[in-house]
Amino acid sequence: MSQNKVFVTRELPAAALDRLAQHCELDVWGEFLPPDYAILLKKAQSLSGLLCLLTDRVDARLLAAAPQLKVLSNMAVGYDNIDVAEASARGIPVGNTPGVLTETSADFAFALLMAAARRIPEAQRYIKQGKWQTWHPTVLSGRDIYGACLGILGFGRIGQAVARRASGFGMRILTHSRGGSEERILAAGAEPCGLDELLRQSDFVSLHLPLTESTRHFIGARELSLMKPSAILINTARGGVIDQAALYEALRERAILAAALDVTDPEPIPLDNPLLRLDNCLVVPHIASASVATREKMAQMAVDNCIAGLRGERLPTCVNPEVYASR
Ligand code: GLV
């Protein structure tokens, strides 16, 4: 009997790959950049499993080209790169990697908040440009974090982990979350709040929403116009949650004070994107979950999902459990 073929779209931490290799015929994309869509399409024809990253588009056409596919395992908690409805229609379970990256991602959202509030990247540039001549009472003054009001949009695992950090900073925490129960919000020391009120009152607004058709451009010109001129927007969710053209205008006109973005639309952000010319916009390359330990755990989890799918077992973390209902 021929072995299950699995394509892994990038080099993962070795321990995870070694384990996967014991369960299938493994094909690992060894290049730094992702495989082109055309390559994925070609490989799809003979695959039983695909272990992919958020940079790989898995759409209806690709799924149609993969008649033997038993499992799709995404090494990410978000899965907006995958047409999950189509995978479900084809009975293919889709796995993701929730939980293991929660604290690391919340740490990073807070790091961005603090870096923007206290102007750390600007301060670093200031020194490198030879501008540090003396201690000065007003130079590079930022915003206090302690005691400020933080608005959290999306109160899932990562939003709640950000709230835990904010509590330690004595912040008032507001949250607007369509799915979140009031009990859970209050237990986390946060206050449920309407969207507009949250935007009006918050000194910091941190985004923790998945990207879906209903959250695309969730923050646009209207929402930005409600924010305080002293407010700072932090995005570690997905770039598409913000209307970037509207954000550029708001930052340029100083309608809000600053933004700190781990994610952009598209990724990578083109070097001629005007956001990169603004002093009040900090952009980093989608690294919120990038700690060595967390990336190892994510890889192991993605491998666990892949192995379970190859065996016809239920994936430990499955985003479309409805595929099992019909079995
Ligand atoms: C990263 O953005 C993830 O979804 O894991």
Side-chain angles (χ1 to χ4, degrees):
M1 200 179 75
S2 71
Q3 254 207 328
N4 285 314
K5 274 195 193 163
V6 173
F7 182 48
V8 180
T9 62
R10 227 69 55 77
E11 285 285 352
L12 307 185
L17 277 185
D18 290 349
R19 200 157 60 83
L20 183 55
Q22 291 164 22
H23 296 266
C24 60
E25 184 186 325
L26 196 56
D27 178 8
V28 179
W29 186 252
E31 296 188 22
F32 183 72
L33 295 178
D36 287 343
Y37 183 75
I39 292 174
L40 272 181
L41 261 188
K42 194 156 178 250
K43 292 202 182 265
Q45 289 161 19
S46 59
L47 293 182
S48 301
L50 176 61
L51 196 161
C52 55
L53 309 188
L54 51 83
T55 45
D56 305 308
R57 175 164 53 98
V58 181
D59 58 8
R61 184 170 168 218
L62 189 76
L63 290 167
Q68 299 161 47
L69 197 64
K70 296 181 189 168
V71 58
L72 257 173
S73 176
N74 210 34
M75 190 183 129
V77 66
Y79 44 85
D80 47 282
N81 56 312
I82 296 177
D83 185 338
V84 175
E86 182 63 24
S88 300
R90 293 178 174 276
I92 301 168
V94 179
N96 70 338
T97 61
V100 291
L101 49 72
T102 300
E103 303 298 337
T104 302
S105 302
D107 281 351
F108 196 78
F110 227 82
L112 284 182
L113 182 156
M114 295 182 79
R118 300 302 306 274
R119 303 172 62 180
I120 293 172
E122 270 177 272
Q124 170 81 114
R125 283 197 296 276
Y126 183 81
I127 289 193
K128 291 195 173 178
Q129 290 165 359
K131 293 183 179 164
W132 189 14
Q133 292 173 305
T134 182
W135 189 95
H136 190 281
T138 59
V139 162
L140 287 166
S141 299
R143 299 283 154 172
D144 275 326
I145 298 153
Y146 182 81
C149 179
L150 170 64
I152 299 180
L153 291 178
F155 210 60
R157 295 181 199 83
I158 300 176
Q160 290 172 55
V162 169
R164 288 196 287 279
R165 284 149 181 79
S167 299
F169 279 81
M171 297 179 101
R172 179 179 178 211
I173 307 161
L174 304 178
T175 184
H176 173 76
S177 166
R178 274 169 299 184
S181 79
E182 189 159 324
E183 233 175 25
R184 184 156 50 97
I185 292 171
L186 295 173
E191 301 165 39
C193 187
L195 174 63
D196 291 4
E197 205 43 37
L198 179 150
L199 294 169
R200 281 195 195 99
Q201 292 199 28
S202 298
D203 300 302
F204 300 92
V205 174
S206 190
L207 305 180
H208 301 284
L209 301 157
L211 178 63
T212 64
E213 277 324 302
S214 60
T215 62
R216 185 171 293 284
H217 291 191
F218 193 80
I219 299 294
R222 189 193 80 84
E223 289 70 28
L224 290 160
S225 74
L226 295 174
M227 291 172 67
K228 295 180 181 178
S230 56
I232 295 176
L233 178 66
I234 300 110
N235 190 9
T236 51
R238 285 291 183 269
V241 173
I242 297 180
D243 175 349
Q244 277 181 189
L247 177 63
Y248 171 73
E249 285 309 323
L251 289 169
R252 193 179 60 85
E253 293 166 3
R254 307 273 160 172
I256 66 169
L257 185 68
L261 311 175
D262 180 44
V263 286
T264 59
D265 182 22
E267 291 183 2
I269 187 169
L271 269 183
D272 61 358
N273 187 296
L275 283 173
L276 298 180
R277 293 200 301 268
L278 296 173
D279 267 350
N280 55 348
C281 189
L282 165 58
V283 187
V284 295
H286 202 152
I287 52 172
S289 68
S291 77
V292 175
T294 290
R295 288 287 166 85
E296 276 170 8
K297 286 183 204 155
M298 289 168 69
Q300 292 287 5
M301 215 166 167
V303 163
D304 287 341
N305 279 328
C306 199
I307 294 171
L310 294 176
R311 287 179 169 154
E313 293 166 5
R314 200 179 175 100
L315 309 196
T317 48
C318 183
V319 306
N320 58 346
E322 62 272 16
V323 294
Y324 300 113
S326 52
R327 290 189 179 178

